[in-house]
Amino acid sequence: MTESSEGRPVEILLAEDNPGDVRLTEKALEKGKVLNNLHVVNDGVEALEFLRQEAEYGDAPRPDLLLLDLNMPRKGGQEVLEAMKGDESLRRIPVVVLTSSEAEEDIIESYDLHANAYLTKPVDFDGFVDIVSSVEDFFLTVVKRPPK
Amino acid sequence: MASTEGAAIYQVVFEASPDPIMVHDADTGTVVRANQAAGALLGCAPDDIVGMHVGEFSPPGFSTADANDLIAEAATSGSAQVEWATEGPDGTDQLVEVTLKRAALGDETRVVAFIHDVTSIRERERKHAEQSEQLDTLMGNLPVVVFTLDPDGVFTYSAGKGLEGLGLEPGDLEGTSVFETYSEYPDIITAVEEALDGEEVRVTQEIDDLVFETWYRPVFDDSGRLKQVVSVARDITGLKRREERVEALSGATNELLYSRTETAAADKVAQIAQRIVDQPLAAIWSYDSGDDTLYPIGATAKATDFAGVETAADLPPMGPDSDENRIFHTSEPTVIEDYQELSNPSAPSMPMRTLLCLPLDDQGMLCIGSETVASFDGDERFLLEILASTAAAGLERIERETRLKSKQAELERSNEALQQFAYIASHDLQEPLRMVSSYVDLLDSEYGDDLDEEAAEYMAFAVDGARRMQEMVDALLRYSRVETNAGDFEETDPEAVLDRTLDALRMRIEEVDATIIAGSLPRVDADPNQVGQVFQNLLENAIEYATEADIEPRIEVSAEEDDDMVTFTVSDNGPGIPAADREEVFNIFHRAGAHDTEGTGIGLAVCQRIVLRHDGRIWVEPSDDGATFKFTLPAVTEVSGDD
């Protein structure tokens, strides 16, 4: 494994309510080449608490990348996007929407809310690994991320 | 001398007069002189008459005393007159006028009788009187108004039975000026002015409730000056009324044609019935076979007022035992002379008398009532029966349309539900399916090496099952998207669409060396993306089935425009479709022929859905070699636009 461009493990926040997908993401990241710390929250409310270091997430690090599912209980991914873009301190965190929805309106709305990428979860595990590693490659090594 | 000459002349006049003259002694009444004509009258010599008394030759019934009285009257007053019906010398009836004049002769008084034959004059007078009476009778009985006007517009004559309608007696108008009597009727004044100007005028004029067709004819004297205006006015109120009724009825047919609901139609029918018969109590009932009862659906305002209810729906229904219901079942128009005499009326408290019931086939009944015992004439009955049959047809059409509409709404609902189901199923099935296939993969990649051959086989089945299910879910999604992701219809060039489709299939076409021949394809009004999908599915199918049968695919695409549709034909040289499968191929998930062909069998179902969305149809044409698909799409209708 290599370190990120900053020379430290990258902090990735995964907002996902399906434990199966959480596990798949963990597995895919394990196979990736970037050293990372994966943090998992299960809904939009927790995601925003994590991002704002509120409640139990007082010591949470600021994530370098947010992998965001759209269909989550309590607060959906689009609401999280909306809140982040309206928040001076959060709007520069790159967000990749990772969802099973292929609905056109979901895609359009996500980009309207300034998502950095919209990806559909592939059906098979290999495809999933490919996607996650592409994201890693692009957002964690290729792209110049905003300074923290 | 002079007197002698005078006497001679008198003598000549006396003798030569064609009228008999006799001179009587005023005291005795005896004839003292008679002329030739008198002799001829009595059939003897004039001298024979001398000495006779008037009474001797006066007609029967005229006595000597009468004669003496008459002579005495003449002698006293100077003259007297009498008319005798007597017998002439040739034995024919004769009327003579006897004029007596007194003549003084010294101290003696003479009475001279001049006898004049007035038979023909009296006959003419009698005839004239008779004719005049006949003419008066005729005029008085003509169903018109006849009148004459002098050049100042003053009535000089007025007669005719038509006057009764105006509340006038013959002669009432005479002496009045039309400009005063009818000053409130500008139509009449204008017409009279024109006629007095010498024009012949024929006009339709209304006087209160009556309508007249009036003809004014100027009559001129020999010098060409207007003498009078002769006029005949015909009362055409009944005729007009009939015209209006027929118009109302033909209007009804139109209005009924456009009525959307039963109540709207019913109200309209009630209004028209009222216009036809002038009976404001009209209402219409609809028959419910469920409980054998007629329920009110429309009525005139007068009818609901009369019944003391708010709306037509509040009128009493006609139950199975009511007399009205019984009439409905006879299907015969029936007049109830007196509603109060019915034993089982549906509305016993209604103070109605005559009621005309017109059954409307099996739809219901139109009833027209009257507060008094009324009658409906043949004309009214005839028009009402036409109205009833129009109403029946109208109500039946509305019933059919309503049924159709609810059926259509039901279909739309179920179609929508199906749509929803397909979309949700495909969407929500994705998630768990992804879990299955991903973890089977993961299991394989992490523990594959530890599995024995049998376990590996089980794994392969699980992977394959998940994959096929995934394909079906995808297919279902595609199927549901025909409606959810549908685009607008636009003028579409199928040749361009086909070119794009061939581009998309290029690799596959080159791989199997397929030949595709396209004819000219007329433009259609369609969603171009979906037309492309239809082409793609049909071409893919043709290529796959031919290739599978080891045939080098050769596909022809052509089209033909007729009326407002374009019929497309896609035929191939593949194995073809068995006759038994020709309809089922369009069913969702149906697979034609061998089952190892790639794909899910959703392609043709999607094609059918797309074509149906365009109000077209798709079918398999029977053919001996290869498969021939045909489908129709709406042609581009010519619109005259800007040049």
Side-chain angles (χ1 to χ4, degrees):
Chain A
M1 280 218 176
T2 60
E3 288 191 344
S4 72
S5 44
E6 278 94 17
R8 55 162 181 83
V10 290
E11 306 294 337
I12 299 176
L13 174 62
L14 172 65
E16 170 67 67
D17 63 320
N18 181 353
D21 276 328
V22 171
R23 192 86 181 87
L24 283 179
T25 312
E26 282 169 356
K27 279 281 169 193
L29 283 171
E30 272 173 29
K31 289 182 184 277
K33 18 189 214 298
V34 181
L35 190 61
N36 62 70
N37 290 325
L38 181 67
H39 309 270
V40 179
V41 290
N42 297 119
D43 62 48
V45 174
E46 284 178 19
L48 286 172
E49 281 171 357
F50 187 100
L51 291 168
R52 291 173 176 149
Q53 295 172 317
E54 288 167 0
E56 57 181 295
Y57 302 107
D59 297 328
R62 180 184 170 88
D64 296 295
L65 180 67
L66 169 59
L67 296 177
L68 181 66
D69 184 26
L70 288 184
N71 299 314
M72 290 186 293
R74 295 214 281 170
K75 200 166 253 189
Q78 270 145 358
E79 285 170 280
V80 172
L81 274 174
E82 215 170 333
M84 287 176 73
K85 295 308 162 190
D87 188 325
E88 193 78 34
S89 63
L90 302 181
R91 68 164 59 135
R92 280 192 286 272
I93 298 174
V95 181
V96 172
V97 172
L98 193 57
T99 176
S100 51
S101 167
E102 287 186 48
E104 215 168 84
E105 56 269 30
D106 282 345
I107 299 174
I108 291 169
E109 199 186 340
S110 297
Y111 281 116
D112 280 351
L113 292 168
H114 301 282
N116 298 82
Y118 187 100
L119 301 170
T120 313
K121 294 170 185 170
V123 189
D124 54 349
F125 179 64
D126 291 342
F128 202 92
V129 172
D130 284 350
I131 282 264
V132 172
S133 77
S134 305
V135 168
E136 266 192 323
D137 262 1
F138 190 70
F139 282 97
L140 302 179
T141 61
V142 176
V143 166
K144 272 273 173 248
R145 277 173 286 121
K148 287 215 170 181
Chain B
M1 202 55 216
S3 77
T4 316
E5 191 186 321
I9 290 168
Y10 288 134
Q11 183 66 35
V12 171
V13 170
F14 178 77
E15 286 303 337
S17 164
D19 284 342
I21 301 170
M22 289 183 235
V23 183
H24 299 263
D25 183 301
D27 296 328
T28 62
T30 54
V31 177
V32 292
R33 260 184 97 175
N35 67 356
Q36 286 294 330
L41 179 70
L42 297 180
C44 56
D47 287 346
D48 293 345
I49 303 169
V50 175
M52 285 173 81
H53 189 267
V54 181
E56 290 175 59
F57 47 80
S58 61
F62 196 82
S63 64
T64 306
D66 290 334
N68 284 336
D69 284 348
L70 191 70
I71 289 172
E73 185 195 339
T76 320
S77 69
S79 75
Q81 201 169 49
V82 68
E83 198 167 301
W84 283 345
T86 170
E87 200 170 278
D90 51 356
T92 57
D93 285 342
Q94 204 176 28
L95 269 178
V96 291
E97 186 185 71
V98 183
T99 308
L100 303 177
K101 293 280 179 197
R102 183 183 59 194
L105 197 73
D107 40 350
E108 280 183 75
T109 302
R110 297 278 185 267
V111 169
V112 185
F114 300 91
I115 300 165
H116 184 57
D117 181 356
V118 292
T119 312
S120 58
I121 293 174
R122 290 290 177 265
E123 180 63 14
R124 270 205 303 279
E125 280 176 354
R126 191 186 57 77
K127 274 198 175 144
H128 185 261
E130 208 170 74
Q131 279 173 351
S132 163
E133 198 189 317
Q134 275 175 352
L135 195 67
D136 275 349
T137 312
L138 183 67
M139 285 298 192
N141 286 291
L142 275 182
V144 292
V145 179
V146 181
F147 58 92
T148 56
L149 297 167
D150 72 9
D152 295 323
V154 172
F155 286 99
T156 46
Y157 178 75
S158 69
K161 206 148 188 75
L163 285 169
E164 285 174 14
L166 295 168
L168 293 169
E169 292 284 328
D172 271 3
L173 290 170
E174 284 161 33
T176 71
S177 164
V178 68
F179 297 112
E180 281 163 23
T181 313
Y182 290 101
S183 60
E184 312 264 310
Y185 303 90
D187 285 355
I188 295 178
I189 300 301
T190 310
V192 168
E193 280 169 348
E194 282 173 20
L196 292 175
D197 276 348
E199 279 175 60
E200 191 170 322
V201 183
R202 188 186 283 271
V203 282
T204 302
Q205 296 171 329
E206 282 182 34
I207 298 177
D208 305 327
D209 288 340
L210 303 177
V211 185
F212 287 91
E213 186 181 56
T214 314
W215 179 56
Y216 298 88
R217 188 168 165 271
V219 178
F220 304 95
D221 63 17
D222 292 341
S223 60
R225 264 210 323 267
L226 182 82
K227 210 163 74 180
Q228 61 175 349
V229 170
V230 176
S231 191
V232 178
R234 188 162 64 108
D235 183 346
I236 55 165
T237 313
L239 215 69
K240 275 270 158 206
R241 183 82 188 89
R242 206 197 145 128
E243 255 173 50
E244 279 168 13
R245 287 171 177 175
V246 172
E247 259 169 44
L249 193 62
S250 88
T253 315
N254 277 331
E255 286 174 16
L256 273 172
L257 220 55
Y258 292 106
S259 292
R260 305 299 291 274
T261 64
E262 199 182 41
T263 44
D267 277 338
K268 214 140 268 174
V269 171
Q271 307 299 337
I272 295 154
Q274 173 190 346
R275 271 182 7 232
I276 292 177
V277 291
D278 283 335
Q279 295 291 355
L281 305 181
I284 186 164
W285 275 258
S286 171
Y287 182 64
D288 185 339
S289 58
D291 54 0
D292 188 19
T293 298
L294 290 147
Y295 290 98
I297 52 170
T300 56
K302 276 269 161 49
T304 47
D305 282 355
F306 185 67
V309 294
E310 282 280 307
T311 65
D314 302 327
L315 292 168
M318 299 166 171
D321 298 327
S322 67
D323 290 310
E324 291 98 327
N325 192 297
R326 185 177 44 75
I327 291 173
F328 165 72
H329 284 292
T330 65
S331 302
E332 288 295 325
T334 305
V335 176
I336 297 170
E337 299 287 352
D338 193 345
Y339 194 77
Q340 301 305 315
E341 311 247 301
L342 290 181
S343 48
N344 274 318
S346 68
S349 59
M350 203 89 85
M352 198 154 43
R353 303 306 293 266
T354 301
L355 185 68
L356 172 60
C357 298
L358 296 150
L360 311 172
D361 293 347
D362 52 358
Q363 296 295 314
M365 192 151 73
L366 169 64
C367 296
I368 294 139
S370 167
E371 290 171 70
T372 56
V373 174
S375 63
F376 299 93
D377 66 32
D379 228 37
E380 291 173 330
R381 280 282 296 266
F382 176 68
L383 292 173
L384 284 172
E385 281 172 30
I386 293 177
L387 174 66
S389 65
T390 308
L395 289 174
E396 200 195 321
R397 174 188 58 79
I398 289 165
E399 193 192 342
R400 228 179 14 244
E401 269 175 17
T402 311
R403 256 205 320 267
L404 209 68
K405 241 183 253 165
S406 83
K407 195 118 219 155
Q408 195 181 337
E410 198 179 293
L411 265 175
E412 267 165 24
R413 266 197 306 280
S414 93
N415 192 38
E416 219 167 90
L418 197 72
Q419 187 69 39
Q420 201 79 7
F421 169 77
Y423 189 75
I424 288 171
S426 53
H427 242 86
D428 297 354
L429 278 178
Q430 296 270 28
E431 188 85 6
L433 196 57
R434 212 164 37 73
M435 288 297 108
V436 173
S437 50
S438 296
Y439 279 96
V440 170
D441 275 353
L442 195 56
L443 204 59
D444 189 34
S445 74
E446 295 197 346
Y447 300 97
D449 297 345
D450 302 338
L451 298 176
D452 62 17
E453 203 178 314
E454 200 175 22
E457 202 186 347
Y458 294 171
M459 286 278 293
F461 283 131
V463 169
D464 185 55
R467 183 187 58 78
R468 278 191 290 118
M469 177 133 183
Q470 182 64 45
E471 281 172 1
M472 291 174 89
V473 168
D474 282 346
L476 207 55
L477 192 59
R478 262 170 68 206
Y479 185 75
S480 67
R481 278 183 178 162
V482 170
E483 296 289 336
T484 51
N485 283 13
D488 291 337
F489 288 8
E490 54 188 73
E491 186 175 335
T492 299
D493 176 9
E495 293 180 15
V497 172
L498 182 62
D499 282 346
R500 281 201 297 278
T501 308
L502 292 177
D503 272 345
L505 296 175
R506 184 150 319 283
M507 275 175 54
R508 185 71 182 137
I509 290 170
E510 283 169 4
E511 191 186 327
V512 301
D513 220 359
T515 309
I516 290 152
I517 302 152
S520 93
L521 310 174
R523 288 167 175 269
V524 289
D525 184 32
D527 173 350
N529 285 327
Q530 293 194 330
V531 175
Q533 278 184 58
V534 173
F535 279 140
Q536 181 158 350
N537 286 332
L538 292 177
L539 292 174
E540 275 177 343
N541 273 351
I543 291 170
E544 295 322 317
Y545 282 99
T547 309
E548 190 191 317
D550 283 328
I551 301 166
E552 201 167 279
R554 186 187 153 85
I555 304 159
E556 283 182 48
V557 182
S558 60
E560 224 175 282
E561 184 171 356
D562 60 313
D563 294 336
D564 45 359
M565 296 302 268
V566 177
T567 305
F568 292 87
T569 305
V570 178
S571 55
D572 63 44
N573 59 344
I577 298 164
D581 278 352
R582 277 178 195 146
E583 284 187 15
E584 282 166 20
V585 290
F586 297 104
N587 291 350
I588 195 164
F589 296 139
H590 177 271
R591 301 288 314 278
H595 286 263
D596 51 351
T597 312
E598 297 251 331
T600 49
I602 197 92
L604 290 176
V606 169
C607 288
Q608 187 185 46
R609 216 169 146 79
I610 288 173
V611 171
L612 287 179
R613 187 186 158 230
H614 288 76
D615 286 331
R617 57 190 200 96
I618 185 167
W619 69 99
V620 178
E621 195 85 339
S623 112
D624 290 335
D625 49 347
T628 300
F629 283 89
K630 286 195 180 240
F631 64 95
T632 62
L633 291 174
V636 175
T637 40
E638 289 300 328
V639 236
S640 53
D642 302 44
D643 287 335

